[in-house]
Amino acid sequence: MRIMNKIVETMKEEFLHYVWQHRHFDFLKAKTTEGLAVSVVFPGYHNHDAGPDFLQAVIVIGDMRWVGSVEIHCRSSDWLRHRHQYDDKYHSVILHVVYEHDTEIQLADNEVVPTLELKGLIPQEMFNRYESLMSVPDMLLCRPHLENVPSLVVQNQQSEALMERLLRRQRGFLSLLESCQQDWNELIYRTLAVGFGCKKNGAAFELLAQSLPYRIVRAHQSSRLQLYALLFGQSGLLDVGDHDDYTERLGYEYDYLRYKYRLEPIGMHQWNWLRLRPQNFPTLRIAQFAQMLFETGNALSDRVLKAGLQGLYNWLSVTPDDYWQNHYQFGKESSCHASGMGMAITNSLIINAVVPIRFAYARFSGDEPMQEDALELLEHIEYEGNKTTRVFEGSPFPNRSAYDSQAQIELFDQYCSRKRCLQCAVGVKIVRP
Protein backbone atom coordinates (compact mmCIF):
# COMPACT_ATOMS: atom_id res chain seq x y z
CA MET A 1 0.00 0.00 0.00
CA ARG A 2 2.84 2.37 0.89
CA ILE A 3 4.56 1.66 -2.45
CA MET A 4 1.33 2.31 -4.35
CA ASN A 5 0.84 5.65 -2.57
CA LYS A 6 4.40 6.63 -3.48
CA ILE A 7 3.69 5.88 -7.15
CA VAL A 8 0.61 8.09 -7.07
CA GLU A 9 2.57 10.93 -5.47
CA THR A 10 5.37 10.77 -8.03
CA MET A 11 3.14 10.17 -11.06
CA LYS A 12 3.31 12.94 -13.68
CA GLU A 13 0.55 13.87 -16.11
CA GLU A 14 3.14 14.01 -18.91
CA PHE A 15 3.77 10.29 -18.39
CA LEU A 16 0.04 9.54 -18.45
CA HIS A 17 -0.33 11.62 -21.64
CA TYR A 18 2.35 9.46 -23.26
CA VAL A 19 0.76 6.23 -22.02
CA TRP A 20 -2.65 7.28 -23.32
CA GLN A 21 -1.47 8.67 -26.67
CA HIS A 22 0.50 5.53 -27.52
CA ARG A 23 -1.84 3.13 -25.70
CA HIS A 24 0.91 1.68 -23.54
CA PHE A 25 -1.50 0.08 -21.09
CA ASP A 26 -3.39 -3.20 -20.92
CA PHE A 27 -6.27 -2.07 -23.10
CA LEU A 28 -7.85 -5.54 -23.04
CA LYS A 29 -8.61 -4.99 -19.34
CA ALA A 30 -9.59 -1.33 -19.72
CA LYS A 31 -12.94 -0.59 -18.09
CA THR A 32 -14.65 2.45 -16.67
CA THR A 33 -15.04 2.68 -12.91
CA GLU A 34 -18.64 1.56 -13.52
CA GLY A 35 -17.44 -1.62 -15.21
CA LEU A 36 -18.05 -0.76 -18.89
CA ALA A 37 -15.43 -1.94 -21.39
CA VAL A 38 -13.36 0.85 -22.98
CA SER A 39 -12.00 0.53 -26.54
CA VAL A 40 -9.79 3.29 -27.93
CA VAL A 41 -10.40 3.72 -31.67
CA PHE A 42 -8.40 6.98 -31.77
CA PRO A 43 -6.83 8.61 -28.66
CA GLY A 44 -7.35 12.13 -30.06
CA TYR A 45 -5.08 15.01 -31.01
CA HIS A 46 -2.79 16.16 -28.21
CA ASN A 47 -3.90 19.66 -27.23
CA HIS A 48 -1.12 22.00 -26.05
CA ASP A 49 -3.46 24.97 -25.59
CA ALA A 50 -6.14 25.65 -22.99
CA GLY A 51 -8.84 23.01 -22.67
CA PRO A 52 -8.94 19.20 -22.49
CA ASP A 53 -5.72 17.28 -23.09
CA PHE A 54 -6.85 15.36 -26.20
CA LEU A 55 -9.38 16.50 -28.78
CA GLN A 56 -11.57 14.62 -31.28
CA ALA A 57 -10.92 11.25 -29.67
CA VAL A 58 -13.02 8.27 -30.77
CA ILE A 59 -13.87 5.93 -27.87
CA VAL A 60 -16.23 2.97 -27.55
CA ILE A 61 -17.63 2.73 -24.02
CA GLY A 62 -19.77 -0.35 -23.57
CA ASP A 63 -21.79 -0.56 -26.77
CA MET A 64 -21.77 3.21 -27.41
CA ARG A 65 -19.33 4.99 -29.76
CA TRP A 66 -18.33 8.49 -28.59
CA VAL A 67 -16.45 11.33 -30.29
CA GLY A 68 -15.14 14.14 -28.13
CA SER A 69 -12.42 15.21 -25.70
CA VAL A 70 -10.33 13.27 -23.19
CA GLU A 71 -9.00 14.83 -20.00
CA ILE A 72 -6.12 13.21 -18.09
CA HIS A 73 -5.22 13.58 -14.42
CA CYS A 74 -3.19 11.74 -11.81
CA ARG A 75 -6.26 11.66 -9.53
CA SER A 76 -9.93 12.18 -10.37
CA SER A 77 -10.10 14.94 -7.75
CA ASP A 78 -7.60 16.98 -9.80
CA TRP A 79 -10.60 17.86 -12.00
CA LEU A 80 -12.06 19.80 -9.07
CA ARG A 81 -8.70 21.15 -7.95
CA HIS A 82 -8.13 22.59 -11.46
CA ARG A 83 -11.70 24.01 -11.40
CA HIS A 84 -12.70 22.38 -14.68
CA GLN A 85 -16.28 22.23 -13.39
CA TYR A 86 -16.54 25.96 -14.07
CA ASP A 87 -15.04 25.84 -17.58
CA ASP A 88 -17.38 25.21 -20.53
CA LYS A 89 -14.51 23.80 -22.61
CA TYR A 90 -14.64 20.65 -20.49
CA HIS A 91 -18.30 19.92 -21.21
CA SER A 92 -17.16 18.03 -24.34
CA VAL A 93 -15.17 15.47 -22.29
CA ILE A 94 -16.30 11.92 -23.07
CA LEU A 95 -13.71 10.14 -20.92
CA HIS A 96 -11.73 11.10 -17.83
CA VAL A 97 -8.47 9.10 -17.74
CA VAL A 98 -6.78 8.99 -14.34
CA TYR A 99 -4.12 6.99 -12.60
CA GLU A 100 -6.14 6.76 -9.39
CA HIS A 101 -9.90 7.23 -9.11
CA ASP A 102 -10.70 8.94 -5.81
CA THR A 103 -13.96 10.79 -6.49
CA GLU A 104 -16.84 10.87 -8.93
CA ILE A 105 -16.97 13.79 -11.36
CA GLN A 106 -20.17 15.31 -12.69
CA LEU A 107 -20.79 17.83 -15.45
CA ALA A 108 -23.09 20.86 -15.07
CA ASP A 109 -26.14 18.76 -16.01
CA ASN A 110 -25.28 16.27 -13.23
CA GLU A 111 -24.18 13.69 -15.80
CA VAL A 112 -21.35 11.53 -14.47
CA VAL A 113 -18.14 11.69 -16.51
CA PRO A 114 -17.02 8.15 -17.48
CA THR A 115 -13.66 7.46 -15.82
CA LEU A 116 -10.89 5.05 -16.82
CA GLU A 117 -8.46 4.22 -14.00
CA LEU A 118 -5.01 3.23 -15.30
CA LYS A 119 -3.64 1.96 -11.98
CA GLY A 120 -2.69 -1.67 -12.52
CA LEU A 121 -2.84 -1.36 -16.32
CA ILE A 122 0.55 0.32 -16.93
CA PRO A 123 3.68 -1.87 -17.00
CA GLN A 124 5.57 -1.22 -13.77
CA GLU A 125 8.93 -1.44 -15.56
CA MET A 126 7.98 1.45 -17.85
CA PHE A 127 7.11 3.71 -14.93
CA ASN A 128 10.32 2.73 -13.12
CA ARG A 129 12.41 3.72 -16.16
CA TYR A 130 10.54 7.02 -16.46
CA GLU A 131 10.99 7.77 -12.75
CA SER A 132 14.69 6.92 -13.02
CA LEU A 133 15.03 9.28 -15.99
CA MET A 134 13.28 12.15 -14.20
CA SER A 135 15.38 11.82 -11.04
CA VAL A 136 18.80 12.29 -12.70
CA PRO A 137 20.67 15.26 -11.07
CA ASP A 138 21.88 16.57 -14.41
CA MET A 139 20.57 19.25 -16.79
CA LEU A 140 20.77 16.54 -19.47
CA LEU A 141 18.50 13.97 -17.83
CA CYS A 142 19.21 11.26 -20.37
CA ARG A 143 23.01 11.36 -19.94
CA PRO A 144 23.37 8.21 -17.77
CA HIS A 145 21.15 6.23 -20.17
CA LEU A 146 22.61 7.35 -23.50
CA GLU A 147 24.99 4.41 -23.79
CA ASN A 148 21.92 2.23 -24.31
CA VAL A 149 20.40 4.48 -26.99
CA PRO A 150 21.42 3.79 -30.61
CA SER A 151 23.47 6.63 -32.11
CA LEU A 152 21.03 6.83 -35.02
CA VAL A 153 18.20 7.72 -32.62
CA VAL A 154 20.32 10.48 -31.08
CA GLN A 155 21.37 11.91 -34.44
CA ASN A 156 17.87 11.76 -35.90
CA GLN A 157 16.40 13.54 -32.87
CA GLN A 158 19.06 16.25 -33.12
CA SER A 159 18.32 16.79 -36.83
CA GLU A 160 14.59 16.87 -36.11
CA ALA A 161 15.15 19.52 -33.43
CA LEU A 162 16.98 21.72 -35.95
CA MET A 163 14.09 21.44 -38.39
CA GLU A 164 11.66 22.34 -35.60
CA ARG A 165 13.76 25.41 -34.82
CA LEU A 166 13.82 26.60 -38.42
CA LEU A 167 10.11 25.89 -38.92
CA ARG A 168 9.32 27.87 -35.76
CA ARG A 169 11.38 30.77 -37.09
CA GLN A 170 9.55 30.45 -40.41
CA ARG A 171 6.19 30.87 -38.69
CA GLY A 172 7.54 33.99 -37.00
CA PHE A 173 8.75 35.37 -40.33
CA LEU A 174 5.38 34.78 -42.00
CA SER A 175 3.73 36.75 -39.20
CA LEU A 176 6.34 39.51 -39.53
CA LEU A 177 5.87 39.54 -43.30
CA GLU A 178 2.28 40.71 -42.80
CA SER A 179 3.42 43.74 -40.81
CA CYS A 180 6.02 44.38 -43.53
CA GLN A 181 3.28 44.55 -46.21
CA GLN A 182 4.66 41.34 -47.82
CA ASP A 183 8.00 43.07 -48.49
CA TRP A 184 10.83 40.59 -47.98
CA ASN A 185 13.43 43.38 -48.13
CA GLU A 186 11.78 45.03 -45.13
CA LEU A 187 11.71 41.71 -43.28
CA ILE A 188 15.38 41.04 -44.05
CA TYR A 189 16.34 44.56 -42.96
CA ARG A 190 14.54 44.22 -39.61
CA THR A 191 15.90 40.73 -38.94
CA LEU A 192 19.48 41.79 -39.66
CA ALA A 193 19.01 44.78 -37.37
CA VAL A 194 18.04 42.49 -34.48
CA GLY A 195 21.11 40.37 -35.26
CA PHE A 196 23.42 43.38 -35.03
CA GLY A 197 21.97 44.18 -31.61
CA CYS A 198 22.67 40.68 -30.23
CA LYS A 199 20.93 39.71 -26.99
CA LYS A 200 21.58 42.93 -25.08
CA ASN A 201 20.31 45.37 -27.69
CA GLY A 202 18.34 43.22 -30.13
CA ALA A 203 15.03 44.70 -28.96
CA ALA A 204 16.33 48.27 -29.32
CA PHE A 205 17.64 47.54 -32.81
CA GLU A 206 14.24 46.11 -33.71
CA LEU A 207 12.54 49.32 -32.58
CA LEU A 208 15.11 51.32 -34.53
CA ALA A 209 14.39 49.40 -37.74
CA GLN A 210 10.64 49.70 -37.22
CA SER A 211 10.95 53.45 -36.75
CA LEU A 212 13.00 53.81 -39.94
CA PRO A 213 11.36 51.81 -42.79
CA TYR A 214 13.65 50.22 -45.34
CA ARG A 215 12.12 52.27 -48.16
CA ILE A 216 13.65 55.39 -46.55
CA VAL A 217 17.00 53.66 -46.02
CA ARG A 218 17.01 52.49 -49.64
CA ALA A 219 16.36 56.03 -50.88
CA HIS A 220 19.62 57.16 -49.25
CA GLN A 221 21.87 54.14 -49.74
CA SER A 222 24.21 56.03 -52.05
CA SER A 223 25.14 58.48 -49.24
CA ARG A 224 27.07 57.09 -46.30
CA LEU A 225 26.65 60.34 -44.35
CA GLN A 226 22.87 60.25 -44.72
CA LEU A 227 22.65 56.57 -43.76
CA TYR A 228 24.69 57.17 -40.63
CA ALA A 229 22.66 60.27 -39.82
CA LEU A 230 19.34 58.44 -40.23
CA LEU A 231 20.29 55.48 -38.07
CA PHE A 232 22.06 57.42 -35.34
CA GLY A 233 19.39 60.10 -35.34
CA GLN A 234 16.57 57.57 -35.03
CA SER A 235 18.44 55.77 -32.26
CA GLY A 236 18.39 58.89 -30.10
CA LEU A 237 22.11 58.42 -29.43
CA LEU A 238 23.27 61.59 -31.15
CA ASP A 239 22.56 63.32 -27.85
CA VAL A 240 24.73 60.88 -25.86
CA GLY A 241 28.28 62.02 -25.09
CA ASP A 242 30.11 65.20 -26.03
CA HIS A 243 29.53 66.83 -29.40
CA ASP A 244 32.32 67.25 -31.95
CA ASP A 245 32.49 68.04 -35.66
CA TYR A 246 31.42 64.50 -36.60
CA THR A 247 28.29 64.52 -34.46
CA GLU A 248 27.46 68.05 -35.60
CA ARG A 249 27.52 66.91 -39.25
CA LEU A 250 25.33 63.90 -38.47
CA GLY A 251 22.94 66.03 -36.43
CA TYR A 252 22.61 68.66 -39.13
CA GLU A 253 21.88 66.00 -41.77
CA TYR A 254 19.44 64.19 -39.51
CA ASP A 255 17.45 67.35 -38.70
CA TYR A 256 16.75 67.81 -42.41
CA LEU A 257 15.83 64.13 -42.98
CA ARG A 258 13.73 63.97 -39.84
CA TYR A 259 11.67 66.93 -41.03
CA LYS A 260 11.42 65.51 -44.56
CA TYR A 261 10.08 62.12 -43.46
CA ARG A 262 8.43 63.24 -40.20
CA LEU A 263 10.49 60.79 -38.17
CA GLU A 264 10.43 60.26 -34.42
CA PRO A 265 13.54 58.78 -32.73
CA ILE A 266 13.09 55.85 -30.36
CA GLY A 267 14.91 57.45 -27.43
CA MET A 268 18.27 56.77 -25.84
CA HIS A 269 16.70 54.95 -22.85
CA GLN A 270 16.04 51.93 -25.08
CA TRP A 271 19.73 51.05 -25.25
CA ASN A 272 21.67 48.85 -22.83
CA TRP A 273 25.25 49.70 -21.93
CA LEU A 274 25.63 47.82 -18.64
CA ARG A 275 28.27 45.08 -18.58
CA LEU A 276 29.05 45.49 -22.29
CA ARG A 277 32.56 45.50 -23.66
CA PRO A 278 33.30 48.64 -25.68
CA GLN A 279 33.34 46.68 -28.97
CA ASN A 280 29.71 45.76 -28.26
CA PHE A 281 28.53 49.30 -27.48
CA PRO A 282 25.37 50.15 -29.42
CA THR A 283 27.07 53.14 -31.05
CA LEU A 284 29.68 50.94 -32.71
CA ARG A 285 27.10 48.32 -33.68
CA ILE A 286 24.91 50.99 -35.33
CA ALA A 287 27.93 52.30 -37.23
CA GLN A 288 28.64 48.77 -38.48
CA PHE A 289 24.99 48.27 -39.44
CA ALA A 290 24.97 51.58 -41.35
CA GLN A 291 28.18 50.67 -43.14
CA MET A 292 26.78 47.27 -44.12
CA LEU A 293 23.68 48.90 -45.60
CA PHE A 294 25.83 51.44 -47.46
CA GLU A 295 28.04 48.77 -49.01
CA THR A 296 25.02 46.59 -49.89
CA GLY A 297 23.34 49.12 -52.12
CA ASN A 298 20.12 47.74 -53.60
CA ALA A 299 21.25 44.10 -53.39
CA LEU A 300 20.05 43.32 -49.85
CA SER A 301 17.81 40.37 -50.70
CA ASP A 302 20.32 38.96 -53.21
CA ARG A 303 23.09 38.97 -50.59
CA VAL A 304 20.96 37.19 -47.98
CA LEU A 305 19.24 34.72 -50.30
CA LYS A 306 21.95 33.88 -52.82
CA ALA A 307 25.49 34.53 -51.53
CA GLY A 308 27.74 31.62 -50.66
CA LEU A 309 29.45 31.37 -47.29
CA GLN A 310 32.61 33.25 -48.36
CA GLY A 311 30.47 35.90 -50.03
CA LEU A 312 28.53 36.33 -46.78
CA TYR A 313 31.74 36.69 -44.80
CA ASN A 314 33.04 39.30 -47.26
CA TRP A 315 29.76 41.21 -47.10
CA LEU A 316 29.23 41.18 -43.34
CA SER A 317 32.85 41.79 -42.30
CA VAL A 318 32.41 45.54 -42.61
CA THR A 319 34.49 48.33 -41.10
CA PRO A 320 32.68 51.63 -40.36
CA ASP A 321 34.11 55.02 -41.24
CA ASP A 322 37.40 56.21 -39.75
CA TYR A 323 35.82 58.04 -36.80
CA TRP A 324 35.08 54.69 -35.13
CA GLN A 325 38.72 53.59 -35.20
CA ASN A 326 39.41 55.81 -32.18
CA HIS A 327 35.91 56.23 -30.73
CA TYR A 328 33.42 53.92 -29.03
CA GLN A 329 31.05 56.75 -28.17
CA PHE A 330 30.43 60.19 -29.61
CA GLY A 331 32.92 62.85 -28.54
CA LYS A 332 35.02 60.49 -26.40
CA GLU A 333 38.29 59.70 -28.13
CA SER A 334 39.97 56.41 -27.30
CA SER A 335 43.14 54.63 -28.36
CA CYS A 336 43.14 53.21 -31.87
CA HIS A 337 41.27 49.91 -32.08
CA ALA A 338 39.70 47.51 -34.56
CA SER A 339 36.20 48.72 -35.39
CA GLY A 340 35.19 46.05 -37.91
CA MET A 341 32.87 43.13 -37.40
CA GLY A 342 34.56 40.19 -35.66
CA MET A 343 34.17 36.58 -36.71
CA ALA A 344 31.91 35.75 -33.75
CA ILE A 345 29.26 38.37 -34.57
CA THR A 346 29.54 37.60 -38.29
CA ASN A 347 28.91 33.91 -37.65
CA SER A 348 26.03 34.81 -35.35
CA LEU A 349 24.41 36.91 -38.08
CA ILE A 350 24.69 34.09 -40.61
CA ILE A 351 23.41 31.48 -38.15
CA ASN A 352 20.57 33.47 -36.58
CA ALA A 353 19.49 35.74 -39.43
CA VAL A 354 20.71 34.69 -42.87
CA VAL A 355 20.09 30.93 -42.56
CA PRO A 356 16.58 31.20 -41.02
CA ILE A 357 15.55 33.83 -43.60
CA ARG A 358 16.90 31.77 -46.48
CA PHE A 359 15.18 28.64 -45.17
CA ALA A 360 11.86 30.46 -44.64
CA TYR A 361 11.96 32.10 -48.07
CA ALA A 362 12.81 28.76 -49.71
CA ARG A 363 9.75 27.11 -48.15
CA PHE A 364 7.61 30.16 -48.92
CA SER A 365 8.58 30.00 -52.60
CA GLY A 366 8.82 26.20 -52.87
CA ASP A 367 12.55 26.27 -53.65
CA GLU A 368 13.91 22.97 -52.26
CA PRO A 369 17.53 23.48 -53.43
CA MET A 370 17.63 26.81 -51.53
CA GLN A 371 16.27 25.05 -48.45
CA GLU A 372 19.07 22.48 -48.63
CA ASP A 373 21.57 25.28 -49.24
CA ALA A 374 20.47 27.00 -46.01
CA LEU A 375 21.12 23.81 -44.01
CA GLU A 376 24.45 23.30 -45.74
CA LEU A 377 25.63 26.75 -44.64
CA LEU A 378 25.29 25.67 -41.02
CA GLU A 379 27.42 22.60 -41.69
CA HIS A 380 30.33 24.83 -42.72
CA ILE A 381 30.24 27.16 -39.70
CA GLU A 382 32.01 26.18 -36.51
CA TYR A 383 30.13 24.74 -33.55
CA GLU A 384 28.86 27.36 -31.10
CA GLY A 385 30.26 27.08 -27.60
CA ASN A 386 27.93 28.62 -25.02
CA LYS A 387 26.28 27.75 -21.72
CA THR A 388 23.53 25.80 -23.49
CA THR A 389 25.70 23.69 -25.76
CA ARG A 390 28.05 22.97 -22.86
CA VAL A 391 25.21 20.94 -21.32
CA PHE A 392 25.80 18.36 -24.08
CA GLU A 393 29.57 18.07 -23.51
CA GLY A 394 30.73 14.50 -22.99
CA SER A 395 27.55 13.06 -24.49
CA PRO A 396 27.02 11.20 -27.80
CA PHE A 397 25.21 14.21 -29.28
CA PRO A 398 27.31 15.34 -32.31
CA ASN A 399 29.16 18.67 -32.03
CA ARG A 400 30.73 19.08 -35.46
CA SER A 401 29.26 22.38 -36.67
CA ALA A 402 26.64 25.09 -36.15
CA TYR A 403 24.15 22.59 -37.56
CA ASP A 404 24.63 20.59 -34.35
CA SER A 405 24.83 23.51 -31.92
CA GLN A 406 21.62 25.05 -33.24
CA ALA A 407 19.89 21.69 -32.89
CA GLN A 408 21.14 21.32 -29.32
CA ILE A 409 19.95 24.80 -28.36
CA GLU A 410 16.49 23.84 -29.60
CA LEU A 411 16.61 20.47 -27.83
CA PHE A 412 17.55 22.05 -24.53
CA ASP A 413 15.14 25.00 -24.74
CA GLN A 414 12.11 23.05 -25.94
CA TYR A 415 12.67 19.60 -24.39
CA CYS A 416 15.45 19.19 -21.80
CA SER A 417 14.81 22.31 -19.72
CA ARG A 418 11.07 21.55 -19.70
CA LYS A 419 11.59 17.84 -18.96
CA ARG A 420 9.58 16.95 -22.05
CA CYS A 421 11.52 13.70 -22.40
CA LEU A 422 8.51 11.75 -23.64
CA GLN A 423 8.16 14.07 -26.64
CA CYS A 424 11.80 13.32 -27.51
CA ALA A 425 12.77 10.14 -29.36
CA VAL A 426 15.78 9.68 -27.06
CA GLY A 427 13.62 9.80 -23.92
CA VAL A 428 11.04 7.48 -25.45
CA LYS A 429 13.78 4.95 -26.29
CA ILE A 430 14.94 5.02 -22.68
CA VAL A 431 11.46 4.60 -21.18
CA ARG A 432 10.34 2.00 -23.70
CA PRO A 433 13.41 0.28 -25.21
Side-chain angles (χ1 to χ4, degrees), residues 211-221 226 230 234 253-264:
S211 75
L212 182 64
Y214 183 66
R215 59 178 176 79
I216 297 177
V217 169
R218 185 162 47 190
H220 297 274
Q221 279 182 319
Q226 290 180 336
L230 280 167
Q234 282 302 103
E253 198 69 33
Y254 175 66
D255 288 342
Y256 163 72
L257 294 169
R258 179 181 180 179
Y259 176 79
K260 178 180 179 179
Y261 294 110
R262 299 184 179 181
L263 299 171
E264 286 297 327

Side-chain angles (χ1 to χ4, degrees), residues 13-30:
E13 283 188 14
E14 181 202 32
F15 178 70
L16 296 178
H17 288 180
Y18 170 75
V19 167
W20 171 257
Q21 185 174 12
H22 299 283
R23 285 173 271 195
H24 291 323
F25 58 93
D26 191 348
F27 51 84
L28 295 177
K29 295 181 181 178

Side-chain angles (χ1 to χ4, degrees), residues 73-340:
H73 288 123
C74 294
R75 290 187 171 95
S76 304
S77 55
D78 290 340
W79 179 290
L80 303 176
R81 188 165 60 86
H82 298 165
R83 304 178 67 81
H84 294 334
Q85 66 271 31
Y86 303 115
D87 192 335
D88 292 345
K89 289 190 288 292
Y90 291 85
H91 291 175
S92 64
V93 170
I94 59 173
L95 184 66
H96 191 198
V97 179
V98 302
Y99 183 75
E100 181 183 70
H101 179 60
D102 62 349
T103 189
E104 189 176 80
I105 300 299
Q106 294 182 337
L107 296 176
D109 56 4
N110 294 323
E111 182 180 355
V112 175
V113 180
T115 301
L116 169 63
E117 184 180 59
L118 292 177
K119 186 166 60 178
L121 301 181
I122 302 172
Q124 183 64 42
E125 300 79 13
M126 183 187 297
F127 177 72
N128 289 344
R129 286 191 291 267
Y130 173 74
E131 189 178 35
S132 173
L133 178 64
M134 291 294 104
S135 62
V136 172
D138 192 312
M139 296 180 74
L140 188 63
L141 294 176
C142 58
R143 190 188 303 277
H145 308 275
L146 286 172
E147 61 182 16
N148 299 318
V149 179
S151 59
L152 187 60
V153 173
V154 173
Q155 292 172 18
N156 286 346
Q157 178 58 55
Q158 186 156 297
S159 294
E160 187 175 326
L162 176 64
M163 289 300 295
E164 289 178 9
R165 185 173 184 82
L166 291 172
L167 289 171
R168 186 161 50 81
R169 292 294 305 275
Q170 181 201 3
R171 291 191 292 272
F173 285 139
L174 292 179
S175 176
L176 178 59
L177 192 60
E178 291 185 19
S179 65
C180 294
Q181 287 75 52
Q182 307 300 315
D183 184 350
W184 278 92
N185 274 308
E186 180 71 26
L187 182 149
I188 291 170
Y189 161 70
R190 292 190 191 183
T191 305
L192 286 172
V194 173
F196 270 83
C198 302
K199 286 186 178 180
K200 284 282 190 177
N201 282 300
F205 258 94
E206 185 174 18
L207 289 174
L208 171 59
Q210 288 175 357
S211 75
L212 182 64
Y214 183 66
R215 59 178 176 79
I216 297 177
V217 169
R218 185 162 47 190
H220 297 274
Q221 279 182 319
S222 60
S223 171
R224 180 161 63 176
L225 175 64
Q226 290 180 336
L227 276 181
Y228 277 64
L230 280 167
L231 287 162
F232 276 119
Q234 282 302 103
S235 72
L237 295 178
L238 280 177
D239 296 324
V240 176
D242 300 326
H243 280 216
D244 52 22
D245 290 343
Y246 183 75
T247 55
E248 291 293 340
R249 289 200 309 275
L250 292 178
Y252 178 81
E253 198 69 33
Y254 175 66
D255 288 342
Y256 163 72
L257 294 169
R258 179 181 180 179
Y259 176 79
K260 178 180 179 179
Y261 294 110
R262 299 184 179 181
L263 299 171
E264 286 297 327
I266 66 171
M268 64 182 74
H269 66 279
Q270 301 287 350
W271 302 96
N272 291 314
W273 302 83
L274 190 63
R275 288 188 287 275
L276 281 179
R277 295 179 180 178
Q279 58 266 37
N280 293 323
F281 279 180
T283 40
L284 186 55
R285 286 281 181 249
I286 292 172
Q288 293 165 346
F289 184 52
Q291 185 66 31
M292 182 274 291
L293 291 169
F294 172 68
E295 294 185 14
T296 301
N298 290 316
L300 184 63
S301 60
D302 283 346
R303 295 288 180 91
V304 171
L305 299 176
K306 298 178 182 179
L309 185 58
Q310 190 56 53
L312 290 169
Y313 280 135
N314 294 340
W315 170 50
L316 293 171
S317 300
V318 294
T319 300
D321 60 24
D322 294 344
Y323 181 84
W324 297 102
Q325 292 182 15
N326 56 3
H327 289 83
Y328 289 111
Q329 295 176 277
F330 290 119
K332 296 181 179 180
E333 192 167 346
S334 66
S335 59
C336 190
H337 57 262
S339 60

